Amino acid sequence: MPTITPSLWFDDNVEEAIAFYSAIFPNSAVETIERYTEAGPGTPGQVVAATFTLDGQRFIGINGGPQFPFTEAVSFTIACRDQAEVDYYWDRLVEGGQESQCGWLKDKFGLSWQIVPERLTQLTSDPDPARAAAATRAMLGMSRIVVADLEEAVAGL
């Protein structure tokens, strides 16, 4: 069966990105690093591509230059068990990056992430429409998702 591997296009800092992500995600490793040779087209020894895993998920990273920056059209979602996991991933991935809303952030490389606690999905899909709406309204006002604030919004009905 074929596998699907996300391929990420970095300006010229794929090694820095791999080190950054590997320090955050457990079960991470570099599989391969490919460098330009005397045949070019880049500077001999310069990294052109790498294959790596983050928490068991395989990725390909390419040093392709600034022609194609990351956008929110593609993001990675981290499903978190609890607030401690949300805080762990949020604090590390947003370092040098930018907060957005509803659990979204951009890391320092411009890659978008959604940090989502399981409880958010449970509350926003509650069979009681009023509870689901209260949770959704609360989420819309947040950058980092705070489970206690979601619970408070639903309890305040």
Side-chain angles (χ1 to χ4, degrees):
M1 171 178 244
T3 58
I4 297 172
T5 304
S7 184
L8 304 174
W9 183 295
F10 294 90
D11 287 350
D12 190 28
N13 51 5
V14 72
E15 282 184 296
E16 178 188 350
I18 292 170
F20 177 73
Y21 298 133
S22 293
I24 295 170
F25 293 95
N27 191 27
S28 298
V30 176
E31 293 179 18
T32 64
I33 294 183
E34 300 169 39
R35 299 180 184 279
Y36 287 113
T37 66
E38 295 296 327
T43 305
Q46 180 183 25
V47 174
V48 64
T51 305
F52 58 101
T53 58
L54 302 176
D55 201 12
Q57 169 65 52
R58 189 170 192 252
F59 291 87
I60 297 168
I62 301 167
N63 273 337
Q67 295 93 321
F68 303 108
F70 294 120
T71 73
E72 291 84 353
V74 174
S75 64
F76 293 107
T77 301
I78 303 173
C80 299
R81 290 183 306 265
D82 54 29
Q83 191 66 48
E85 268 194 1
V86 168
D87 294 344
Y88 172 84
Y89 288 109
W90 184 275
D91 290 342
R92 283 151 186 83
L93 287 168
V94 80
E95 184 180 312
Q98 179 180 11
E99 294 185 3
S100 188
Q101 67 181 47
C102 304
W104 286 63
L105 64 85
K106 279 189 178 184
D107 67 29
K108 65 183 179 179
F109 302 100
L111 189 59
S112 292
W113 297 85
Q114 298 175 58
I115 315 300
V116 183
E118 290 176 3
R119 189 66 178 134
L120 172 65
T121 305
Q122 294 166 353
L123 290 170
T124 59
S125 62
D126 192 294
D128 179 342
R131 289 174 55 86
T136 300
R137 280 192 301 277
M139 175 203 58
L140 291 172
M142 298 179 188
S143 293
R144 175 192 320 231
I145 303 299
V146 179
V147 174
D149 293 350
L150 294 172
E151 297 279 1
E152 183 178 323
V154 171
L157 290 177

